[in-house]
Amino acid sequence: MKPSSVSRLIAAVVCLLTVSGATACTSQAAESGTKVTLGFSAWPGWFPWQVAQEQGIFAKNGVNVELKYFDSYTDSLNALATGAIDANSQTLNDTLASVSGGAQQKIVLVNDNSTGNDKIIAAEGIVSVSDLRGKKVAVEQGTVDHYLLLLALAEAKLTEKDIQLVPLATDAAAAAFAAGQVDAVGAFAPFTSVALERPGSRAVATSAEFPGAIPDHLVFTAEFVKDHPAEVQALVNTWFETVKWIRDNKGAATDIMAKRGGVTADEYRSYDAGTTIFTRKQNLDAFTPGTTPSHLNFQAGKIVDFMVDTGLVKDRPILDGLLDDRFVKAVPD
């Protein structure tokens, strides 16, 4: 006999208030039968979700997940913003853009930080960001690599007005650059591999030069977190268990993730240094308020400042309640 709605609510509250309640959360998720629709797209820090599905780790943690892969990252952002999915894998700046547009969302987990896998790649003869003046640069507008491009231009004392921006979806942008149709491209792995097939091309800026600027997250609609905390907890637990499985089964995990990314295992291994998967401790440190780029509250403020100054958003979003560390805190040690 299923527990009543009241008893489910009590159990959910208990699981959020105590670290030892994480196990209770998982079993509660299994009993409720609520399905979680989780979106992700082509980024090495999110491919572990594919491992979780294929290795049955979602089921082991008692959560019923419909894993939905998006060929277009922008489509995944729109799906969460409109409530078409319950959760998505997305960057901090893209989450802030959605929130500024009125979306009610919560960040419950830091998957990783981009430490080089986001790149501005330029054609032969272009050796620095300064050389992009007047050149055609393809990038997916409003997404993380547009942000990286603007950061790199600002550091070079240039603005978007100094280049010819060519708005294309990331896969199309990388293909256009490889085909010689534009002079440079902003892209993330694995699409960087396509772009770098162009002879003589090179990265003139990467996310490694802007530490902490591109953290990647598990983001839920605020309504789902409120109504289904047990499922949220089970998903966060699944993440850390999956990361451990990957660490213990590196070869098999790489094969799964490379297949999902449409690249070879050797190519996938080349992405390792450019994506830093966060441990639970790194998560807790990131969620703790602070005054350096490693702290999410600080980074969010810097991103919002930049987005408003450059006109990416009109109004500053209200960030109260956006960062929710309850679930990471409740993960078993």
Side-chain angles (χ1 to χ4, degrees):
M1 181 176 181
K2 291 185 178 180
S4 67
S5 297
V6 173
S7 64
R8 283 201 297 269
L9 177 60
I10 292 172
V13 171
V14 169
C15 81
L16 289 178
L17 292 179
T18 65
V19 172
S20 61
T23 301
C25 263
T26 301
S27 62
Q28 190 65 23
E31 287 187 11
S32 76
T34 298
K35 182 175 71 175
V36 184
T37 305
L38 169 60
F40 76 122
S41 50
W43 171 249
W46 299 328
F47 288 148
W49 292 128
Q50 187 71 33
V51 175
Q53 182 182 57
E54 295 192 21
Q55 293 302 311
I57 303 175
F58 288 126
K60 181 181 176 183
N61 281 281
V63 59
N64 177 15
V65 173
E66 178 187 349
L67 194 60
K68 185 173 177 59
Y69 183 78
F70 288 84
D71 291 318
S72 166
Y73 171 54
T74 303
D75 287 348
S76 77
L77 297 173
N78 292 336
L80 185 67
T82 59
I85 58 178
D86 304 309
N88 192 42
S89 307
Q90 55 192 56
T91 68
L92 177 57
N93 70 298
D94 293 323
T95 301
L96 291 170
S98 293
V99 171
S100 71
Q104 300 295 311
Q105 300 179 352
K106 282 186 177 291
I107 293 171
V108 301
L109 170 73
V110 183
N111 301 110
D112 67 275
N113 249 338
S114 177
T115 48
N117 276 338
D118 287 275
K119 303 178 189 291
I120 307 302
I121 299 170
E124 187 173 15
I126 300 175
V127 298
S128 70
V129 175
S130 297
D131 294 335
L132 293 177
R133 185 188 295 272
K135 298 295 194 295
K136 292 182 179 179
V137 184
V139 72
E140 189 164 357
Q141 277 187 300
T143 63
V144 63
D145 289 296
H146 186 193
Y147 175 57
L148 175 63
L149 173 63
L150 293 175
L151 285 175
L153 289 172
E155 190 171 76
K157 298 184 175 7
L158 299 175
T159 71
E160 192 174 293
K161 294 178 181 179
D162 293 310
I163 64 171
Q164 298 180 55
L165 190 74
V166 180
L168 291 171
T170 302
D171 57 345
F177 175 76
Q181 296 169 4
V182 294
D183 303 302
V185 63
F188 52 87
F191 301 113
T192 48
S193 294
V194 174
L196 289 167
E197 290 175 359
R198 179 169 172 171
S201 61
R202 55 170 289 175
V204 293
T206 79
S207 52
E209 296 159 31
F210 302 94
I214 308 179
D216 301 301
H217 306 282
L218 172 61
V219 184
F220 277 87
T221 64
E223 181 180 11
F224 192 92
V225 173
K226 178 183 176 183
D227 294 342
H228 304 287
E231 283 74 13
V232 178
Q233 186 66 62
L235 214 61
V236 172
N237 291 354
T238 294
W239 173 262
F240 288 107
E241 186 171 335
T242 301
V243 170
K244 182 180 184 303
W245 191 92
I246 292 171
R247 189 169 58 246
D248 295 340
N249 302 273
K250 190 67 175 177
T254 297
D255 288 343
I256 292 170
M257 295 186 289
K259 183 179 180 181
R260 176 68 276 182
V263 298
T264 68
D266 284 342
E267 282 180 302
Y268 196 87
R269 278 187 282 271
S270 73
Y271 304 146
D272 282 350
T275 302
T276 301
I277 301 294
F278 268 34
T279 64
R280 179 168 175 262
K281 184 180 185 306
Q282 286 173 308
N283 263 266
L284 294 172
D285 290 345
F287 275 110
T288 300
T291 57
T292 72
S294 64
H295 296 99
L296 292 179
N297 70 304
F298 177 84
Q299 194 61 251
K302 296 290 286 185
I303 291 172
V304 168
D305 288 343
F306 192 89
M307 293 170 77
V308 172
D309 290 344
T310 56
L312 287 176
V313 299
K314 182 179 180 181
D315 300 313
R316 296 184 67 87
I318 297 174
L319 304 183
D320 293 348
L322 174 66
L323 305 175
D324 193 340
D325 64 355
R326 294 173 294 166
F327 304 97
V328 171
K329 286 181 176 178
V331 172
D333 290 327

